[in-house]
Amino acid sequence: MVSARDWNILNQFKGLKPTTTTTTSQNGVASLKGPNLNGYCESWRVNVELHNIRDFTVVPQECVWFVQNYMTSSQYDDDVERAVDAAILYLGKTCCEKKECDGMDAWIFDIDDTLLSTIPYHKSNGCFGGEQLNTTKFEEWQSWGKAPAVPNMVKLFHEIRERGFKIFLVSSRKEYLRSATVENLIEAGYHSWSNLLLRGEEEEKKSVTQYKADVRTWLGSLGYRVWGVMGAQWNSFAGCPVPKRTFKLPNSIYYIA
């Protein structure tokens, strides 16, 4: 039986036995390295972002080191910045100008790894997707309210707000984390959003994808025009109604449907 820590997509598809060797980095993250592994791991990461690879529970063990290096690199920062640039360019093509807005133009942000970074959690726990996310430990970390802002996102948030859009924060976080989340967002530089929507008991019975789609339906029923949705998970965009425009931030550490 293959454990989560040994899972390898190449072995799953080709029936191959592992031929790589195990090493341990200075921070305790185990990794497997072998011929052409950089290319394979980059291909795996890109295909996660393209949503070709879905429903994975752990990062392939031989690629944990690669995902960690990417998510803590300047390349990750640059990739987020390019997404921010694209969003700002798109804003210039929308019809909402502050002097003309009727108050019904809206924008949706997710929170984790969109506005607030979870990288410090993964650094301190040393797994970077190599093990299934420990929900109890992760929510405890969220309750501390110490997550930093994702690079360049404070700038985009206020750019959108100052253009007259109503900003809705739609997160899969649980309702009991509301106070900690609000304090963390303010501390990180975000303020003046229109609504923060978290999952209560009824919402927790739904998939995250359905919950977020239902929020978009609700906003539409109120007359809001949702011009854009930004998130680090594909569940922010899936389902109906389909957003006018979506902006995906990179995150291959975990997958939430």
Side-chain angles (χ1 to χ4, degrees), residues 196-207:
L196 168 62
L197 295 112
L198 306 178
R199 288 197 298 165
E201 291 183 4
E202 288 302 312
E203 287 75 23
E204 288 182 40
K205 297 175 183 177
K206 306 175 184 177
S207 68

Side-chain angles (χ1 to χ4, degrees), residues 45-255:
R45 186 190 69 78
V46 168
N47 276 277
V48 167
E49 300 301 347
L50 292 173
H51 213 202
N52 294 330
I53 296 175
R54 308 181 183 189
D55 301 316
F56 64 90
T57 56
V58 293
V59 173
Q61 191 60 28
E62 63 271 37
C63 294
V64 171
W65 66 276
F66 187 91
V67 170
Q68 176 181 357
N69 287 347
Y70 169 73
M71 294 297 294
T72 57
S73 70
S74 60
Q75 183 61 58
Y76 167 78
D77 294 350
D78 289 344
D79 291 346
V80 172
E81 187 173 10
R82 295 294 78 73
V84 168
D85 290 344
I88 291 175
L89 182 63
Y90 168 69
L91 285 171
K93 299 177 181 179
T94 65
C95 67
C96 184
E97 299 288 346
K98 191 164 187 180
K99 61 184 179 181
E100 300 175 357
C101 280
D102 60 3
M104 300 307 291
D105 293 295
W107 192 281
I108 295 175
F109 284 106
D110 198 349
I111 293 178
D112 288 308
D113 294 306
T114 302
L115 298 182
L116 299 177
S117 174
T118 69
I119 296 302
Y121 171 82
H122 296 287
K123 279 184 176 179
S124 63
N125 286 275
C127 57
F128 276 88
E131 298 176 352
Q132 289 191 11
L133 190 67
N134 184 316
T135 304
T136 301
K137 287 178 65 176
F138 186 57
E139 289 181 2
E140 180 184 16
W141 179 82
Q142 289 174 322
S143 72
W144 298 344
K146 300 298 183 182
V150 171
N152 298 292
M153 290 304 295
V154 172
K155 175 181 74 172
L156 177 62
F157 179 95
H158 291 296
E159 175 81 17
I160 292 172
R161 184 182 61 80
E162 289 168 4
R163 286 175 181 257
F165 288 84
K166 295 291 182 65
I167 293 179
F168 293 87
L169 309 184
V170 183
S171 173
S172 61
R173 289 188 177 202
K174 295 179 180 178
E175 181 62 39
Y176 84 90
L177 290 167
R178 178 173 294 275
S179 294
T181 300
V182 169
E183 291 174 7
N184 196 164
L185 286 165
I186 293 173
E187 182 67 24
Y190 305 102
H191 59 80
S192 304
W193 57 82
S194 293
N195 204 340
L196 168 62
L197 295 112
L198 306 178
R199 288 197 298 165
E201 291 183 4
E202 288 302 312
E203 287 75 23
E204 288 182 40
K205 297 175 183 177
K206 306 175 184 177
S207 68
V208 175
T209 296
Q210 187 60 56
Y211 154 65
K212 291 182 177 180
D214 287 349
V215 170
R216 296 198 301 274
T217 298
W218 172 68
L219 289 175
S221 72
L222 297 178
Y224 285 103
R225 299 176 291 273
V226 179
W227 286 92
V229 179
M230 200 162 201
Q233 292 285 313
W234 282 96
N235 61 41
S236 292
F237 321 124
C240 294
V242 177
K244 289 180 181 290
R245 183 68 189 270
T246 62
F247 296 89
K248 169 75 167 64
L249 296 186
N251 181 6
S252 50
I253 299 175
Y254 55 88
Y255 184 95

